[in-house]
């Protein structure tokens, strides 16, 4: 399950439990809308409560990242998992955004706020 919030030039995603393809499609729809009307956006992913993600989500992330290589400014990923950290770095190959991993929410938000 995901919870998506947005504000000017930013999309925030919190994942709880399993991250499914339906969840990812919801995220894609929000990003597509924001980019269409606001241009490049920052992303904030809180994955501390994510239990797992499906293989189709991993594939969709690669496809989506390649299609939106220039649509993100900064990406903050909040996680305590080395596996999630590794997969986030792998996704960075396809986007031109600056990406950082955090284990502290305040630091992640402060870093994103620097770009405003």
């Amino acid at each position: 399950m995901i919870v998506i919030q947005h504000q000017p030039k930013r999309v925030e995603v919190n994942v709880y439990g399993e991250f499914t393809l339906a969840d990812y499609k919801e995220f894609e729809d929000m990003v597509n809308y924001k980019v269409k009307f606001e241009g490049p956006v920052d992303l904030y992913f809180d994955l501390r409560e994510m239990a797992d993600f499906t293989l189709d989500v991993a594939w969709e992330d690669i496809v989506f990242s390649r299609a939106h290589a220039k649509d993100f400014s900064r990406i903050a990923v909040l996680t305590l998992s080395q596996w999630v950290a590794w997969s986030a770095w792998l996704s960075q190959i396809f986007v031109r955004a600056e990406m950082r991993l955090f284990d502290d929410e305040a630091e992640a938000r402060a870093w994103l706020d620097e770009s405003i």
Side-chain angles (χ1 to χ4, degrees):
M1 178 180 120
I2 65 170
V3 174
I4 300 175
Q5 299 176 352
H6 64 95
Q7 50 190 290
K9 304 293 251 176
R10 185 178 301 168
V11 174
E12 298 186 5
V13 178
N14 293 67
V15 179
Y16 303 96
E18 186 176 61
F19 195 12
T20 66
L21 186 57
D23 295 330
Y24 199 90
K25 294 289 187 178
E26 186 179 339
F27 159 72
E28 285 179 331
D29 290 344
M30 176 57 70
V31 168
N32 287 332
Y33 177 84
K34 296 288 281 184
V35 167
K36 180 178 180 178
F37 292 103
E38 298 179 11
V41 296
D42 290 337
L43 300 178
Y44 171 86
F45 285 100
D46 186 342
L47 305 178
R48 294 175 292 177
E49 299 295 324
M50 182 176 75
D52 198 5
F53 58 91
T54 59
L55 185 57
D56 52 355
V57 167
W59 179 252
E60 188 66 20
D61 184 49
I62 292 169
V63 172
F64 185 75
S65 296
R66 289 185 67 191
H68 292 274
K70 299 176 185 177
D71 291 335
F72 308 116
S73 300
R74 286 184 167 193
I75 302 171
V77 179
L78 187 58
T79 184
L80 303 174
S81 165
Q82 284 300 106
W83 172 251
V84 172
W86 180 83
S87 62
W89 284 115
L90 184 61
S91 295
Q92 187 178 14
I93 294 169
F94 303 109
V95 295
R96 295 195 177 137
E98 185 178 359
M99 179 185 290
R100 290 202 186 161
L101 300 172
F102 297 90
D103 56 12
D104 181 79
E105 181 177 351
E107 289 177 16
R109 291 184 180 283
W111 179 72
L112 286 175
D113 289 342
E114 289 174 3
S115 69
I116 296 178

